Amino acid sequence: MIPKELKNNSKILSISVIALLIFRLLLTATIPLLDKTEARYAEIARIMQETKQWIVLQIDYGVPFWAKPPLSTWLSAGSFELFGINEFAARFPSFLLSVLLIIIAGKIVKKEGYSFYLPGFILLTMPEFLIHTGVVSTDTSLEFCITLMMISFWQAMKSETKTYWNYLFFVALGLGLLAKGPLIIVLSFPPLFLWCCQDLKRFKIILSKFSIIPGILITAIIAIPWYYFAEKETPGFLDYFIVGEHYKRFVEPGWKGDLYGSGHSQPKGMIWLYMIAFVFPWIQVVLYKIWKNKTTIFKNSWSSFLLLWAFWTPLFFTISSNILHTYALPSAMPIMFLVVYFWDEFTGKKLLINVALFFPAVVFIAYFGWFATGKLDYKMNSDKYLLENLKVTTKNKKIPIYYWKSKNYSGQFYTNGKAQVVKTDMQLDSVQTLNKKLFFVIPTKEEIEISKKQLDQMTLTQSNYKTSIFVTK
């Protein structure tokens, strides 16, 4: 019998979780919005809050953004209403959703006699989950909705009578359709179906525990209106979003139809390397325990449920070439529950806890190391500090800012959408004629594209590792 204090390690777990959440909140408030993805979603939310256009997402004024549904943008835009336009407000909804997941998981495992802080420790020491605890993206809201769906399904199936869990399942599905679209169906329904196939009686239980027709209506009422009005206001949205984003993106390597970037072409099966790296060290522990218990793990309904939930997502993305490491995030919660499931069998818990703290420690050291040496502004993939320094060094706050060829999303955000673009030397000549003085932002590697004549008319005023800002003489 394992002593309770060894089983829980409550003190170190509680201290670690509280410290990690405080540190993550500090990062949320002090790290600038990073290009390309995070600053892009923050800028979309900023435009939404400014224009009060809550239906059609805009990547620039008057330019619709069809790639994602609105839930995470609504949350960030609403946060801007409360806290003002800043990176903390943009990220706070993601931080809050992650904390809610930790609390939900803590309450579930506490009923089984484990520390309330154990799930939080496991999750916050996973690189993927720690990163997304306070990042502006659609992935955290998708993860939240999938988790709510799966837990609601499990609780409804195990309840003796029909409960509110069955309605919560359909609420989460509707929200998921607003978080990431039909992808939530693809990532949640197959593992549920396979789990029911293990015992065909489960299909009959679904009919008795779920109010299917009212539930579908609940999902439809939550999700369909936005899709209808988005297509009505910007015809073509549904074709791009449903066919392009949910089919071509995953089956066409280097998908050329992406209106907002380019496909992330990777070797097939790359998702498993992302799982190994970004769910470290818990994925390794779980895989080892699965192998050790391979003859019995599917005999337990809970462990088989978690196993299918955890590994369906990477199996699905195995055949895709267009993937990101963020696609590992939906597996974080079931991997955590599997670790808890095997927790009593671990004999080297303290060693495992120390290994798990490796990634957070690296982030901690890097952050305070850069902060102490004054290199934080130089190392960040953001134009925030460059633009802030311009405001400090010039009394004229209205000097126009032009980007060469394309604006960085962080530049759009931190200039409140006032940054403009020039794409040729001829256009640059024109804007110089119109403006006695202007700031010109050039990616460092693209300075060679600017003629010597143009550069001779400018003075370097700010720079970091990737961007330079010149002022015309």
Side-chain angles (χ1 to χ4, degrees):
M1 186 68 180
I2 300 176
K4 188 172 184 179
E5 61 267 23
L6 181 60
K7 177 178 179 179
N8 288 329
N9 290 273
S10 294
K11 189 173 182 179
I12 188 173
L13 294 177
S14 61
I15 293 173
S16 297
V17 168
I18 293 170
L20 285 171
L21 285 175
I22 293 173
F23 176 57
R24 193 63 188 86
L25 194 61
L26 175 66
L27 297 182
T28 299
T30 59
I31 296 294
L33 292 165
L34 303 178
D35 288 312
K36 174 178 180 180
T37 302
E38 189 186 29
R40 174 172 69 175
Y41 289 124
E43 173 62 3
I44 292 169
R46 189 198 64 78
I47 294 175
M48 176 179 282
Q49 187 272 339
E50 178 186 334
T51 63
K52 310 305 179 188
Q53 168 54 274
W54 300 93
I55 298 297
V56 179
L57 280 64
Q58 300 172 80
I59 197 167
D60 205 342
Y61 295 104
V63 182
F65 181 68
W66 286 348
K68 296 293 185 292
L71 183 59
S72 61
T73 302
W74 284 343
L75 293 173
S76 289
S79 186
F80 288 149
E81 292 278 358
L82 293 174
F83 303 111
I85 307 299
N86 54 72
E87 49 272 303
F88 170 78
R91 292 169 172 148
F92 184 67
S94 174
F95 178 85
L96 186 60
L97 288 177
S98 295
V99 171
L100 287 175
L101 287 177
I102 290 170
I103 292 172
I104 291 169
K107 288 184 175 294
I108 290 173
V109 305
K110 189 176 181 180
K111 292 180 180 179
E112 303 299 321
Y114 296 94
S115 170
F116 171 82
Y117 296 96
L118 179 58
F121 178 84
I122 297 169
L123 290 168
L124 289 170
T125 53
M126 286 183 191
E128 195 65 61
F129 190 91
L130 182 63
I131 289 170
H132 278 85
T133 303
V135 163
V136 190
S137 78
T138 58
D139 296 287
T140 305
S141 56
L142 173 67
E143 177 199 24
F144 182 85
C145 293
I146 290 177
T147 299
L148 195 58
M149 275 185 68
M150 301 301 279
I151 290 176
S152 297
F153 182 86
W154 174 262
Q155 296 289 356
M157 290 291 283
K158 293 305 173 183
S159 300
E160 294 183 1
T161 59
K162 188 178 293 186
T163 67
Y164 68 90
W165 287 106
N166 102 85
Y167 295 109
L168 195 56
F169 173 86
F170 292 104
V171 170
L173 175 59
L175 292 174
L177 290 170
L178 294 176
K180 200 95 169 184
L183 184 62
I184 192 170
I185 297 174
V186 175
L187 298 184
S188 60
F189 275 61
L192 295 178
F193 175 78
L194 292 172
W195 184 73
C196 290
C197 285
Q198 290 183 303
D199 184 349
L200 297 181
K201 294 178 181 178
R202 291 170 181 164
F203 288 106
K204 186 177 180 180
I205 296 174
I206 288 177
L207 296 176
S208 65
K209 298 295 178 66
F210 286 86
S211 304
I212 295 177
I213 300 302
I216 292 174
L217 288 174
I218 289 171
T219 297
I221 290 170
I222 292 172
I224 288 179
W226 177 79
Y227 283 87
Y228 170 78
F229 286 111
E231 174 66 22
K232 184 178 180 180
E233 293 195 25
T234 55
F237 157 71
L238 288 177
D239 177 68
Y240 178 85
F241 181 64
I242 302 298
V243 179
E245 288 287 338
H246 286 81
Y247 176 72
K248 292 182 179 180
R249 173 175 292 280
F250 301 111
V251 300
E252 294 184 8
W255 177 43
K256 303 299 183 183
D258 194 335
L259 296 176
Y260 312 103
S262 58
H264 306 280
S265 185
Q266 302 281 5
K268 286 182 172 61
M270 189 69 181
I271 184 64
W272 293 99
L273 293 181
Y274 286 146
M275 290 284 289
I276 294 298
F278 288 91
V279 195
F280 172 88
W282 305 108
I283 183 67
Q284 289 83 353
V285 170
V286 165
L287 289 173
Y288 172 75
K289 297 304 292 185
I290 290 172
W291 175 255
K292 294 286 288 184
N293 295 272
K294 57 183 179 293
T295 59
T296 60
I297 193 166
F298 279 104
K299 294 179 180 179
N300 180 281
S301 60
W302 177 233
S303 63
S304 62
F305 180 83
L306 294 174
L307 195 64
L308 293 167
W309 176 9
F311 291 102
W312 167 251
T313 294
L315 281 171
F316 173 75
F317 286 119
T318 296
I319 61 173
S320 175
S321 296
N322 291 314
I323 61 171
L324 298 166
H325 68 82
T326 56
Y327 294 3
L329 187 60
S331 295
M333 291 297 290
I335 292 293
M336 175 275 297
F337 279 123
L338 281 169
V339 174
V340 175
Y341 176 77
F342 291 120
W343 192 251
D344 288 346
E345 299 180 18
F346 298 136
T347 56
K349 290 185 177 65
K350 289 186 177 180
L351 176 62
L352 183 57
I353 288 171
N354 288 331
V355 172
L357 287 169
F358 173 78
F359 178 74
V362 170
V363 176
F364 184 89
I365 292 170
Y367 173 79
F368 284 104
W370 287 342
F371 189 84
T373 58
K375 292 183 178 180
L376 189 64
D377 57 347
Y378 184 82
K379 294 290 185 179
M380 292 292 100
N381 183 25
S382 175
D383 290 348
K384 176 185 178 179
Y385 296 116
L386 298 180
L387 297 170
E388 282 187 344
N389 289 339
L390 289 182
K391 292 179 181 179
V392 171
T393 57
T394 177
K395 295 180 180 180
N396 186 352
K397 305 294 194 304
K398 296 182 180 180
I399 297 175
I401 296 176
Y402 287 86
Y403 276 74
W404 175 245
K405 290 192 173 180
S406 63
K407 293 179 282 187
N408 290 337
Y409 293 109
S410 63
Q412 285 184 256
F413 183 87
Y414 289 111
T415 62
N416 292 318
K418 292 181 174 60
Q420 302 176 68
V421 176
V422 292
K423 295 185 178 182
T424 65
D425 282 344
M426 185 177 297
Q427 290 179 354
L428 182 56
D429 282 334
S430 297
V431 298
Q432 284 181 311
T433 301
L434 293 172
N435 299 278
K436 293 182 178 180
K437 193 173 186 179
L438 61 85
F439 291 115
F440 190 45
V441 187
I442 312 173
T444 303
K445 63 182 180 181
E446 294 180 9
E447 284 185 30
I448 57 173
E449 298 181 10
I450 310 299
S451 68
K452 185 177 185 299
K453 176 185 175 182
Q454 295 285 6
L455 287 176
D456 286 344
Q457 299 177 40
M458 304 178 189
T459 301
L460 179 66
T461 180
Q462 302 289 335
S463 67
N464 62 17
Y465 80 100
K466 74 179 187 71
T467 303
S468 298
I469 301 183
F470 294 83
V471 61
T472 52
K473 296 178 180 178

